[in-house]
Amino acid sequence: GDWPATEVELTGAVEDLRRSRPGMAAGGLARLGDLRARQGRTEEARDLFEQADAAGLVGLGELELDRGETESATALAERALRRMPEQAILDRLPAQELLARALIAEGKTEAAEAPLGAVRSTAKTIATPHLGARASLLAAEHALACGDPAAARREAEDAVDAFSSAPYDAARARLVLARALAALGSGDRAERERDAAQQAFERLGAPGDAARAAEPLPAEAPDSQAGTGDGGGDRPRGGGEAQADLDLLTPRELEVLRLIATGANDPEIAERLVISSHTVHRHVANIRTKLGLSSRSAAVAYATRSGLI
């Protein structure tokens, strides 16, 4: 959590490697790029990742995912995995995490199960608390996207506990936990976890993450208290019941749903509504949670059935 000291060490290491062993500088450049991205210095981060060549592919993918460019993030994750041997399980872990998160963001939760399984397998093989926490956090994000906030809560709580010595990662886990709690109707606790995450990001100097933590939490999901863990399949609705569900959406969420139904992606919706891609992504997550939908394509079909387009 001491980012100023980290910056000094990484900057010095990169300079030394460039002078003495330029072929080994890529890893340091990628790590420094990660720090710049967390600090909100996006263009500097992108430049460092590009200098790092193959070592910077995952970092570039993370930047694309932050912009809402999920397909580009998926492609970069897959490209990074192709550049690494199968037996290099620890080296492949960040790319597998990125691939899973990008697929989740696209609404492709079934496709995300393969990289999630690979992350879980690596965490089991290496068996360190930090890797176990990373697997739990990814599983929490997946469960939340699948419409199972009860499972997401359990996984996120395990991640928070195991990340006790990693404040940035712990704050990320707290934010996922807050979203799961909000979907379960535990509003007060959700707000406390969200506030703790936001404060941690601000202390660390991560303005982008702090801004995302400040966004409104999703409302309680229909039938979420049951926590059945059935993968969040779409629920068939009759006309009157579908209209009742639409009443759960805010006016802004209805606008986003209509634009989704036209085929617009997150950046296009952001431009049309003059909001950030992060905000669009959160609106999409809220829509899927409230309507019990498992994917973006299901949201398009729902909007069509409901007469929104």
Side-chain angles (χ1 to χ4, degrees):
D2 187 351
W3 289 4
T6 301
E7 182 168 358
V8 170
E9 294 293 336
L10 280 174
T11 302
V14 167
E15 290 174 354
D16 288 344
L17 286 170
R18 277 176 159 167
R19 285 195 303 268
S20 59
R21 298 180 181 179
M24 298 178 64
L29 288 166
R31 288 179 179 272
L32 185 56
D34 287 334
L35 179 61
R36 291 287 183 261
R38 293 183 183 188
Q39 292 171 325
R41 298 159 68 173
T42 305
E43 292 309 313
E44 291 179 52
R46 187 178 300 278
D47 181 59
L48 288 163
F49 290 139
E50 289 173 348
Q51 292 179 54
D53 193 26
L57 290 174
V58 172
L60 289 171
E62 293 287 356
L63 293 180
E64 290 297 281
L65 187 57
D66 282 345
R67 293 175 58 232
E69 296 290 348
T70 55
E71 292 183 4
S72 178
T74 296
L76 284 162
E78 291 173 339
R79 181 181 171 190
L81 288 169
R82 290 196 301 271
R83 302 278 296 261
M84 290 181 255
E86 292 285 342
Q87 62 269 27
I89 59 173
L90 197 55
D91 291 338
R92 291 170 64 86
L93 185 68
Q96 288 163 338
E97 289 174 315
L98 171 62
L99 179 57
R101 291 176 58 235
L103 290 169
I104 289 168
E106 285 188 76
K108 298 178 180 178
T109 53
E110 289 187 11
E113 290 175 4
L116 171 58
V119 171
R120 283 190 178 279
S121 177
T122 299
K124 185 176 181 180
T125 299
I126 305 298
T128 66
H130 185 79
L131 290 185
R134 286 168 66 171
S136 292
L137 176 55
L138 188 60
E141 294 179 83
H142 184 259
L144 197 55
C146 286
D148 190 355
R153 175 186 59 78
R154 292 190 297 271
E155 295 282 5
E157 286 174 340
D158 289 347
V160 169
D161 293 342
F163 277 140
S164 58
S165 61
Y168 178 80
D169 293 319
R172 288 178 57 219
R174 285 190 184 279
L175 192 52
V176 175
L177 176 57
R179 291 168 182 158
L181 289 167
L184 288 166
S186 301
D188 289 344
R189 187 182 168 201
E191 291 291 343
R192 289 197 297 273
E193 294 291 349
R194 192 270 301 274
D195 290 346
Q198 183 179 359
Q199 290 165 13
F201 289 136
E202 289 172 348
R203 284 195 300 271
L204 287 165
D209 292 287
R212 285 189 285 277
E215 293 175 0
L217 292 169
E220 180 179 0
D223 302 324
S224 63
Q225 296 289 356
T228 57
D230 62 358
D234 306 327
R235 299 164 294 145
R237 295 300 195 195
E241 195 171 1
Q243 183 57 52
D245 279 351
L246 288 177
D247 290 342
L248 296 171
L249 303 183
T250 67
R252 179 64 92 186
E253 288 165 355
L254 282 170
E255 286 183 286
V256 170
L257 181 55
R258 287 191 182 94
L259 290 171
I260 289 172
T262 68
N265 60 27
D266 285 2
E268 289 168 341
I269 295 172
E271 184 176 357
R272 287 280 298 276
L273 300 181
V274 197
I275 56 179
S276 71
S277 289
H278 298 301
T279 301
V280 174
H281 183 68
R282 185 55 39 220
H283 284 316
V284 173
N286 290 348
I287 290 165
R288 287 172 50 194
T289 298
K290 290 179 180 182
L291 300 183
L293 302 171
S294 62
S295 68
R296 197 181 187 97
S297 60
V300 173
Y302 191 100
T304 304
R305 292 195 306 271
S306 303
L308 284 180
I309 57 172

